[in-house]
Amino acid sequence: AQSVTQLDSQVPVFEEAPVELRCNYSSSVSVYLFWYVQYPNQGLQLLLKYLSGSTLVKGINGFEAEFNKSQTSFHLRKPSVHISDTAEYFCAVSDKTGGSYIPTFGRGTSLIVHP
Amino acid sequence: DARVTQTPRHKVTEMGQEVTMRCQPILGHNTVFWYRQTMMQGLELLAYFRNRAPLDDSGMPKDRFSAEMPDATLATLKIQPSEPRDSAVYFCASVRDRGSTDTQYFGPGTRLTVL
């Protein structure tokens, strides 16, 4: 079974500063990687996903992530954050198991953007 | 704008009472997941269905929890009897299930408080 480690439970940052949220996963032959965001009192929504091809994936709201197979990482980045980016961010990994889609989620990283 | 709906959004009940949570997946999505989110455990997968058939409910306490899909437009999660430790936010998510590359669409959640 896959496992996902989000190394930071909380990341405080000032507005307009760059940010990186880290994600590592246990190795597997073929994985698909996702980042979801959860705003307060809402469900999770997809930011971006890596399926194949270019290792740099661009998502919504100016976020991007880079898949690094050798380091089994999929870190999320944004060059300049806004107050509205304050939210919980979840990394997830899935592989094909039993013919169905079973994602494994990390524990989440709380991004706190200060003015 | 298709979305997953969940009812109720909030539920406060007393220990020992039955709780039923409902989820309407996005039309055409054939895979439905139930998750529980707490501060201590993060996001836990409780059960999931594909084409209305339960595929895995190993994450669910069998003695008190039950999950069903009476039809393709309704998934239910019941707790009987409820206990204070069941207090959490319960999310439903649906997927079109074209494979493990698909995005999960989450509902807004049901916040359950058991007194």
Side-chain angles (χ1 to χ4, degrees), chain A residues 18-86:
Chain A
V19 70
E20 178 179 83
L21 306 183
R22 297 180 291 170
C23 172
N24 288 87
Y25 62 93
S26 57
S27 180
S28 178
V29 176
S30 176
V31 294
Y32 306 105
L33 297 155
F34 305 78
W35 275 99
Y36 285 83
V37 60
Q38 183 181 27
Y39 297 106
N41 300 313
Q42 295 185 27
L44 281 69
Q45 61 185 89
L46 184 72
L47 267 181
L48 49 81
K49 60 183 176 182
Y50 170 79
L51 306 179
S52 65
S54 173
T55 57
L56 184 63
V57 180
K58 293 190 183 297
I60 62 171
N61 301 340
F63 283 93
E64 63 181 32
E66 185 156 18
F67 170 55
N68 188 319
K69 189 174 182 179
S70 62
Q71 296 186 5
T72 61
S73 69
F74 190 55
H75 300 333
L76 180 70
R77 302 186 184 101
K78 186 169 182 177
S80 175
V81 294
H82 301 288
I83 295 286
S84 59
D85 292 323
T86 295

Side-chain angles (χ1 to χ4, degrees), chain B residues 9 43 49 103:
Chain B
R9 291 295 311 276
L43 199 62
F49 295 77
T103 300

